[in-house]
Amino acid sequence: MKNKRKILRRLAVLVLLLSIYPLCVLVYTWSHVFRSDLEGGRQGPLDAYRHALASAVVSYTLNERAVYLMTGLMESGGKDSNKMDRHNNRIGAQIGTDSKSFRELEPSVRQSVLDGAINSTDTNQITWLPKELWRDGRIW
């Protein structure tokens, strides 16, 4: 009985830790999104920023494979917005891998977005859809 409780307690701690990590990534990412002066909350530069920043954080704190796994699960559709998200997630993952410190992540992602372009096919350039395809500038 004592071993069973010990195992259950450890399992509960593990579940708690596994649920805290995504929450921390989301809080960090959205806190920057809400303070950002970028426009185009859905399918525009702000959306690109959100995807790249979250991917950079995950890549820096875990690894690139974690980003690719999540991207495969969440961005599997063939829509242009999913292609854009996968593209920006890859760039964010690379930024996270290349960063020497956590403090470099946000400024590096922001600069990548500022250097980005509409419908870019350059594998090293952040991209977003044309303004007429943005969804009312909303983030969600």
Side-chain angles (χ1 to χ4, degrees), residues 10-131:
R10 286 183 179 177
L11 184 60
V13 169
L14 179 63
V15 167
L16 180 64
L17 290 175
L18 290 175
S19 62
I20 288 173
Y21 176 78
L23 181 63
C24 290
V25 172
L26 287 171
V27 167
Y28 176 82
T29 301
W30 283 96
S31 70
H32 283 83
V33 167
F34 286 131
R35 290 182 298 189
S36 175
D37 59 350
L38 296 167
E39 60 180 337
R42 286 295 280 166
Q43 302 173 349
L46 186 59
D47 192 29
Y49 172 77
R50 179 174 55 89
H51 278 268
L53 184 58
S55 295
V57 170
V58 171
S59 182
Y60 181 83
T61 57
L62 294 177
N63 60 44
E64 276 184 276
R65 286 182 299 201
V67 174
Y68 300 143
L69 175 65
M70 290 309 299
T71 298
L73 292 171
M74 299 181 78
E75 310 294 349
S76 60
K79 298 185 294 186
D80 286 343
S81 61
N82 291 108
K83 291 177 192 172
M84 176 192 79
D85 295 343
R86 286 191 303 268
H87 177 96
N88 294 329
N89 288 353
R90 280 192 303 274
I91 293 171
Q94 190 61 55
I95 290 170
T97 297
D98 293 344
S99 292
K100 306 251 185 296
S101 74
F102 192 83
R103 286 183 173 182
E104 290 178 21
L105 296 179
E106 193 282 330
S108 296
V109 168
R110 183 168 182 75
Q111 189 58 55
S112 289
V113 173
L114 294 175
D115 294 339
I118 296 169
N119 289 330
S120 176
T121 57
D122 182 337
T123 57
N124 297 310
Q125 186 177 40
I126 294 282
T127 190
W128 53 86
L129 298 180
K131 193 168 188 167

